[in-house]
Amino acid sequence: MRRREFVTLLGGAAAAWPLAARAQQQPMPVVGFLHPGSPEANAKFVAGFRKGLGETGYVEGRNVAIEYRWGHGESARLPELAADLINRPASVIATPGSVAAALAAKAATTTIPIVFMIGVDPVQAGLVASLNRPGGNVTGTSSMNTVLAAKQLELLHQLLHRDVRFAVLVNPSNPQSGPALTDIQAAASALGQQLEILTATTNRDIRPAFDAAVQKRADAMLVIADPLFANRPVQLATLAARHAIPAIFPLREFAEAGGLMSYGSNLTELFRLTGTYAGRVLKGEKPADLPIQQATKFEFVINLQTADALGLEIPPTLLARADEVIE
């Protein structure tokens, strides 16, 4: 090789090297993950979220970083945690499973995209302008679980098939519990059944709520969908069994943990959908143009072991309607 050619080649390589180095040094995009619960109780759902990201080409640690912020049952910390993610800064913030987390993120930024997953109508919750055209920097998925409460009460009534006193466990600090209670009260009135409202706003209130159900001679219990309860399926299923109270829950994880019945959307699937939307936003799509995804399939799960322990015989009509029977 002639010297002039060698010098030219070397100079070209030297010029290209800084460009390659800069390309290698470009930071990975950051997904902020804001949740009111704990990582231990949500490992299964986080795996679903990662799966959704993966379907859009993003793998944690390879070409995307995920910064997790957990409230550990203290919703009052969510605004502080949201601000921390914004200062990170996150490229997109995912808030699966909590209206409070979504509202905290929305209040903290009007520019960073937010992808939520909640159990209520996001328009009524004040998160988006409409389902088809969310507008602004927010979009996401609705599980619609809080609107299923009346249906859950009907299933419980079909199981017992007699006049009963229903207890309803609700978190009154959740503003979305009001419409669900209204639906349940209307359903109980239509069935001619009595209703007792029990409340729990913190972890410490859950056990006394079950004690109150026994004192009020409740024959059965319905647990309204709420992040506080969703993070404690084993505790609630255990308390229902200990007090011999037939109960229906909003998520299959309760039935898997020993609860009698559950009726609601598949939460792992909804976390996956949240991950796919977060990935699409990272690829450049705007939240304002991504319509709200709504759950369309709801699972009815019956735990026969728990039914046997309670001395209950499940009617064949209910068994035929179940998507899964745990034996």
Side-chain angles (χ1 to χ4, degrees):
M1 180 182 294
R2 295 179 180 177
R3 182 177 182 276
R4 181 177 296 177
E5 292 174 344
F6 176 79
V7 171
T8 302
L9 178 62
L10 184 61
W17 170 251
L19 294 176
R22 282 195 296 271
Q24 291 175 357
Q25 292 172 0
Q26 285 183 354
M28 289 189 292
V30 174
V31 174
F33 187 97
L34 180 62
H35 195 283
S38 66
E40 297 81 10
N42 289 277
K44 173 182 176 181
F45 306 131
V46 171
F49 178 78
R50 290 197 192 101
K51 181 180 179 182
L53 271 177
E55 290 173 3
T56 62
Y58 290 99
V59 178
E60 184 179 12
R62 183 184 301 170
N63 59 356
V64 69
I66 304 179
E67 289 282 341
Y68 300 94
R69 297 295 183 272
W70 301 95
H72 293 280
E74 298 180 27
S75 294
R77 295 189 59 215
L78 292 173
E80 171 193 348
L81 297 173
D84 188 36
L85 287 173
I86 290 167
N87 292 331
R88 172 67 177 83
S91 307
V92 58
I93 298 176
T95 62
S98 167
V99 175
L103 290 173
K106 183 181 180 183
T109 179
T110 57
T111 56
I112 296 176
I114 298 166
V115 179
F116 61 76
M117 192 279 287
I118 57 176
V120 300
D121 184 334
V123 177
Q124 293 181 359
L127 286 168
V128 297
S130 73
L131 297 179
N132 292 329
R133 303 282 293 181
N137 62 320
V138 184
T139 189
T141 304
S142 175
S143 70
M144 307 303 292
N145 272 349
T146 56
V147 302
L148 302 177
K151 180 66 175 179
Q152 292 160 351
L153 190 74
E154 292 174 11
L155 290 170
L156 203 51
H157 183 253
Q158 289 175 33
L159 166 68
L160 300 175
H161 204 63
R162 58 183 173 85
D163 289 340
V164 297
R165 182 187 296 271
F166 289 109
V168 178
L169 181 60
V170 61
N171 179 359
S173 68
N174 184 342
Q176 307 306 316
S177 63
L181 272 179
T182 300
D183 290 345
I184 293 174
Q185 288 168 334
S189 177
L191 294 170
Q193 305 302 306
Q194 300 180 63
L195 207 61
E196 294 285 350
I197 309 300
L198 308 175
T199 62
T201 56
T202 68
N203 307 342
R204 295 183 295 273
D205 299 331
I206 294 176
R207 184 187 296 269
F210 276 84
D211 293 337
V214 174
Q215 293 171 3
K216 295 176 181 293
R217 300 182 182 277
D219 299 297
M221 178 182 287
L222 185 155
V223 177
I224 292 183
D226 187 273
L228 174 65
F229 307 139
N231 286 317
R232 290 163 180 80
V234 175
Q235 180 187 8
L236 271 73
T238 300
L239 286 170
R242 182 179 303 165
H243 294 292
I245 301 175
I248 188 166
F249 302 92
L251 300 171
R252 67 176 298 119
E253 283 71 25
F254 287 91
E256 292 173 348
L260 176 60
M261 299 192 301
S262 67
Y263 182 72
S265 52
N266 186 310
L267 204 55
T268 303
E269 171 64 11
L270 294 175
F271 269 71
R272 184 191 68 79
L273 291 175
T274 306
T276 61
Y277 255 25
R280 290 174 64 176
V281 169
L282 287 177
K283 285 183 175 294
E285 295 190 60
K286 296 180 180 180
D289 299 330
L290 292 173
I292 303 303
Q293 304 176 102
Q294 292 181 275
T296 56
K297 184 179 184 301
F298 305 104
E299 301 176 316
F300 180 34
V301 182
I302 299 174
N303 190 317
L304 279 186
Q305 290 182 338
T306 302
D308 290 341
L310 292 171
L312 294 173
E313 183 176 349
I314 307 295
T317 52
L318 276 186
L319 288 174
R321 295 176 60 183
D323 296 284
E324 182 178 345
V325 176
I326 300 174
E327 300 189 49

